Amino acid sequence: MKNNKLRYLALISVFSFCSYSQEAKINAGDRKYDSYAYIDAIKTYERVAEKGYRSEDLFKKLANSYYFNSNFEKAAKWYGELFAMDAQIETEYYYRYAQSLKSAGETVKAGRILDEFERRTKNDGRARLYAKDKNYLEEIKANSGRYKIENAGINSKFSDYGAFVHNNTVYFASARDTGNFTQRKHTWTGEHFTNLYQAAIGEDFNLGAPKEFKSKINTRFNESTPVFTKDGKTVYFTRNNYNNGKRGKNDAKTTLLKIYKATLENGEWSNIRELPFSSDNYSTAHPALSADEKTLYFASDMPGTYGQSDIYKVSINGESYGTPENLGPTINTEGKETFPYVTAGNDIYFASDGHPGLGGLDVFVGRLERNGVSNIQNLGSDINSAQDDFAYIVLDGDSPKGFFSSNRPGGQGSDDIYKFVETRAMHCSQELSGIVADSNTSEILANAKLSLYDTDHNLISTTISDPKGFYSFAVDCGKVYFVRAEKEKYATKEEPATILKENGKTDLAIRLDGSECRVTIGDDLGKCFNITNIYFALDKSDITPKAIVDLEKILDVLNQYPSMKLDIRSHTDSRASYKYNEALSGRRARSTMQWLINNGVSKDRLTGKGYGESQLVNRCSDGVKCSEEEHQMNRRSEFIITAL
């Protein structure tokens, strides 16, 4: 580890800084419309579940239907039933259950579920502690080899750092000895206190001879990191707590840092004053302006800081300022985050020793979003080294040219300023797209609503599938997203998408299951609920608890449609004698019919027959070697509608 440099946040401070998508609308008047019946499967599931029947598939469908409609209290109820079954549940359900519990006010239980979610997910972005350290060296390597770097040509044998460009001039802090006998030295470093200097930028990106910035801004204490407004009439800068000949101290008699503001009047910098959110008891430093100059970003260890120093923002409204806001735990860590710089494209560059890096302070970039900072990445081993690398800025806008500071080996002083040309952009472009279609018929589904979420389940964007079922989102490379698809009369579905780490397209086709079944005479009602077989014990015809769950679904539909009649057909595979299979399937068909009759269905609405192995759906007849899966296709139950 390196020594705790004074400039981290403290500049060169001599001081410590240390329903589903749609509910079916069925009434008596349209039950026989065109001789079709529309079955709302989810309502049936709920009525079956409310009777006390338990099924993993049942609870998943119910819980998801409420979760996707933000009815978290009911979602928590059915996810709770799912978890109580002690089944092998997919990891995603832990997250949904926890989110539902939190929304329902059960924060302690939600915390336990999230703990388990983090334990189970080693590569999910929401499990932050795991995601932070995962393959970070590979990511740094992938981001390397993109810069041409040179000494800026303005460095001395002392500390030079913190460049800012305005009006084709670079401004920076330097501890160089100008021969002024009144200049004081820092007792910790043996160097002079820093003042502001400037150098002209030539057309060939070479810098002219440095000269001191002649103004009242420079004092006998430290000044650093200036940022000018576009009109050149206002400058924000960092200085020790010293103004108008008075030095401020905190309760421990230590002089900290403050951000000051000065205005240009009649060619002179005057009206120097500290910003109102500064304090004698904590430091504020390293200001940076947004492109519209309505927001000031800075580093501070003020109350509410996550670590040793965090990055904050504050709104600017003329001469007044809002309340500083911490940019949050995505960017800020228990370590140091400092030296922010914001581009016109809403990228924020900053230095940190808390995010995974190469050593000391590394430079990172993230994307400023409404709710914080996203897509934080290390700039790679060109800009970053095993030493301190910080104060990254570009010439203007999103220029590929700029400056950064470092104390890496090979420099002239303790800190040096380097210039760079970015030869390859780090942010790659990706399109997440696909086709939305019916899972059973493959029919293209136009006008489906697609919503894009990040791994914290924040909504990013929405779109509608076009007449060809196509949708697309612009996304960041290397990230994980979730796409939720919704359409009337279809079950809402959410799919994860892992975006490639290179320019191009990531395909995510989405297949939706109908939440309503359209059936007519001759159709198999069982297909509405994916009932392929009514399960019996081996060689038995007794109805099992698992079979009852499916029969309850059939019963519910028969109760909705009193004129509906069914022919119940039971089939076997070919692995017993023909006569035995015929008899066994007949008994099973009659048991199925009798269960429905015992539960209130008139027997004149039901017919049934066992077909044994007489109607195989594949090649698996006697003597043919088949897999268990192939034999299973022949062991099936059918509920054929004979009247509506």
Side-chain angles (χ1 to χ4, degrees), residues 296-326:
L296 185 76
Y297 297 84
F298 62 96
S300 179
D301 63 347
M302 65 175 58
T305 299
Y306 291 94
Q308 297 178 52
S309 64
D310 285 1
I311 297 176
Y312 288 79
K313 68 177 181 179
V314 66
S315 60
I316 303 173
N317 186 12
E319 293 298 315
S320 64
Y321 299 84
T323 302
E325 299 177 43
N326 190 299

Side-chain angles (χ1 to χ4, degrees), residues 282-389:
Y282 56 79
S283 288
T284 54
H286 310 321
L289 282 169
S290 62
D292 61 8
E293 300 183 348
K294 294 181 179 180
T295 305
L296 185 76
Y297 297 84
F298 62 96
S300 179
D301 63 347
M302 65 175 58
T305 299
Y306 291 94
Q308 297 178 52
S309 64
D310 285 1
I311 297 176
Y312 288 79
K313 68 177 181 179
V314 66
S315 60
I316 303 173
N317 186 12
E319 293 298 315
S320 64
Y321 299 84
T323 302
E325 299 177 43
N326 190 299
L327 289 193
T330 304
I331 184 172
N332 293 315
T333 70
E334 294 178 351
K336 306 177 189 75
E337 279 70 46
T338 184
F339 290 98
Y341 178 79
V342 178
T343 70
N346 276 336
D347 286 333
I348 181 168
Y349 293 87
F350 64 99
S352 170
D353 66 0
H355 292 268
L358 297 176
L361 291 172
D362 273 20
V363 180
F364 296 81
V365 63
R367 177 62 57 86
L368 285 170
E369 306 282 3
R370 182 177 57 184
N371 297 321
V373 181
S374 68
N375 197 29
I376 293 174
Q377 298 186 61
N378 187 296
L379 288 194
S381 60
D382 309 308
I383 297 296
N384 292 317
S385 68
Q387 304 300 313
D388 286 331
D389 309 286

Side-chain angles (χ1 to χ4, degrees), residues 381-430:
S381 60
D382 309 308
I383 297 296
N384 292 317
S385 68
Q387 304 300 313
D388 286 331
D389 309 286
F390 57 101
Y392 181 103
I393 64 106
V394 298
L395 291 185
D396 55 65
D398 291 311
S399 170
K401 297 181 179 181
F403 300 93
F404 73 100
S405 303
S406 178
N407 69 341
R408 64 185 59 191
Q412 292 177 242
S414 58
D415 295 308
D416 287 300
I417 297 172
Y418 294 84
K419 62 182 181 181
F420 65 78
V421 177
E422 188 177 19
T423 58
R424 174 173 59 87
M426 182 172 64
H427 292 300
C428 69
S429 175
Q430 266 281 340

Side-chain angles (χ1 to χ4, degrees), residues 201-207 401 419:
I201 303 175
E203 292 183 1
D204 54 359
F205 198 32
N206 289 326
L207 303 183
K401 297 181 179 181
K419 62 182 181 181

Side-chain angles (χ1 to χ4, degrees), residues 12 65 148 192 204 320 396 500 509:
I12 301 189
S65 68
K148 178 183 177 183
H192 299 288
D204 54 359
S320 64
D396 55 65
L500 301 176

